[in-house]
């Protein structure tokens, strides 16, 4: 793997911290009859981490607003095809007073034997009412097909 712009002193918004790595894992694959299921979302870990299994008692507060950009490139083996690529397109975005406050947006493109998934995750404020995050999580669960 390679790390770019890893110096903690970097404050230039045009120089994001980058991690470039290659991953090979059988844990992402599941057989279902004659099909192979690939759990591609597991490559980025939990997409929404600010929820509880039980009813939330308090509003949500994070340490700082943050923005994550991810790109996953999958080599499709010869003889295989991606059966439902449109399931990789998700667009959840919430606004307050015309400004995006949180979002999970993903898209894809297939070129030859490469599937490229682009994922943007945004949390642009530090506090949300618990009801707002509950709705975001419910919408995410309903639309998530990763």
């Amino acid at each position: 793997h390679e790390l770019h712009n890893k110096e903690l002193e970097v404050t230039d918004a045009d120089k994001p911290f980058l991690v470039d790595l290659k991953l090979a894992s059988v844990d992402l694959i599941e057989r279902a009859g004659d099909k192979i299921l690939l759990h591609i979302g597991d490559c980025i870990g939990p997409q929404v981490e600010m929820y509880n299994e039980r009813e939330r008692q308090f509003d949500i507060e994070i340490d700082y607003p943050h923005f994550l950009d991810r790109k996953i490139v999958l080599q499709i083996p010869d003889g295989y095809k991606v059966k439902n690529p449109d399931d990789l397109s998700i667009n959840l975005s919430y606004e307050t007073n015309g400004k995006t406050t949180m979002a999970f947006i993903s898209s894809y493109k297939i070129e030859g034997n490469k599937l490229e998934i682009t994922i943007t995750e945004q949390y642009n404020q530090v506090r949300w009412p618990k009801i707002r995050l509950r709705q975001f999580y419910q919408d995410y669960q309903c639309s998530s097909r990763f």
Side-chain angles (χ1 to χ4, degrees), residues 24-67:
S25 173
V26 295
D27 293 336
L28 301 174
I29 297 172
E30 178 183 345
R31 289 206 174 265
D34 62 345
K35 297 180 179 163
I36 296 175
L37 304 177
L38 177 63
H39 302 282
I40 198 78
D42 289 349
C43 290
I44 63 172
Q47 288 82 17
V48 178
E49 298 175 348
M50 296 187 295
Y51 64 89
N52 289 332
E53 294 298 321
R54 293 177 289 159
E55 183 70 22
R56 181 172 284 283
Q57 300 299 310
F58 301 101
D59 291 342
I60 290 81
E61 184 170 334
I62 60 173
D63 292 333
Y64 52 88
H66 58 282
F67 181 95

Side-chain angles (χ1 to χ4, degrees), residues 5 24 27 33 42 60-62 88-90 93 107 117 131-132 141:
N5 304 323
D27 293 336
D42 289 349
I60 290 81
E61 184 170 334
I62 60 173
L88 297 168
S89 295
I90 298 172
S93 182
S107 61
I117 306 165
I131 189 73
R132 188 76 159 145
Q141 289 294 89

Side-chain angles (χ1 to χ4, degrees), residues 1-8 16-22:
H1 71 275
E2 291 182 38
L3 302 177
H4 304 276
N5 304 323
K6 61 186 175 184
E7 301 80 19
L8 293 175
F17 174 66
L18 300 173
V19 178
D20 187 3
L21 60 91
K22 292 183 182 196

Side-chain angles (χ1 to χ4, degrees), residues 74-82 110-115:
L74 173 70
Q75 293 285 114
I76 303 167
D78 290 338
Y80 288 85
K81 67 178 183 174
V82 178
I110 298 175
E111 293 181 354
N113 67 338
K114 287 187 182 180
L115 167 66

